[in-house]
Amino acid sequence: MKKSDINFQVSLDDQNLPKKILWEASDKESIGLESTNSISLNVWDNLNQSTLRIDLWTEEMSVAEMKRFYIDIMGGMAQTILNSTGDEYMSEEIKALCDRLVQHVNEENKNS
């Protein structure tokens, strides 16, 4: 059985806010730690039948990048729900929401 390790290192400032986020995975193409400005990790807790979430971002992450990051996450979820359950309706609804959010963000960027 193949095994893959994914590791995160988070440096915090004096107020316990993320200052720097580094990550690595044992099966990624490049070797060593890479920097990122945001992570979003979701874990299904079988025992409590609920989702555990960890969302971290550095002050380097702009508001526009954060919005794009979450739209991309939801777009990926649309594909995952289709692949894992075959539920085309749910997948298409998530994609439609993403399309509306992209439109909203584009309008915001035009007006600022």
Side-chain angles (χ1 to χ4, degrees):
M1 176 187 301
K2 183 178 176 182
K3 177 184 170 189
S4 179
D5 293 319
I6 302 169
N7 298 297
F8 295 99
Q9 291 182 7
V10 181
S11 300
L12 304 174
D13 66 12
D14 294 339
Q15 298 172 0
N16 287 329
L17 298 173
K19 191 72 176 162
K20 187 173 188 178
I21 302 169
L22 301 172
W23 72 279
E24 66 180 336
S26 59
D27 63 348
K28 74 179 174 75
E29 290 182 17
S30 59
I31 297 173
L33 292 167
E34 290 187 36
S35 180
T36 187
N37 287 329
S38 184
I39 61 172
S40 180
L41 179 65
N42 300 285
V43 178
W44 181 250
D45 179 354
N46 288 330
L47 182 63
N48 295 307
Q49 295 289 291
S50 63
T51 301
L52 307 172
R53 295 174 37 104
I54 299 171
D55 294 304
L56 300 172
W57 59 94
T58 68
E59 61 188 16
E60 301 299 316
M61 186 81 167
S62 72
V63 170
E65 288 174 318
M66 184 63 82
K67 290 179 181 184
R68 170 139 187 233
F69 179 54
Y70 279 96
I71 292 169
D72 285 350
I73 288 171
M74 288 187 292
M77 287 177 178
Q79 189 60 52
T80 299
I81 198 73
L82 181 61
N83 294 345
S84 63
T85 68
D87 189 332
E88 290 182 26
Y89 175 81
M90 191 168 179
S91 177
E92 290 302 318
E93 287 294 309
I94 295 169
K95 286 180 193 175
L97 173 59
C98 289
D99 289 343
R100 289 192 307 273
L101 292 172
V102 165
Q103 216 171 17
H104 166 73
V105 169
N106 287 343
E107 283 296 316
E108 268 188 341
N109 291 337
K110 253 195 264 183
N111 295 330
S112 60

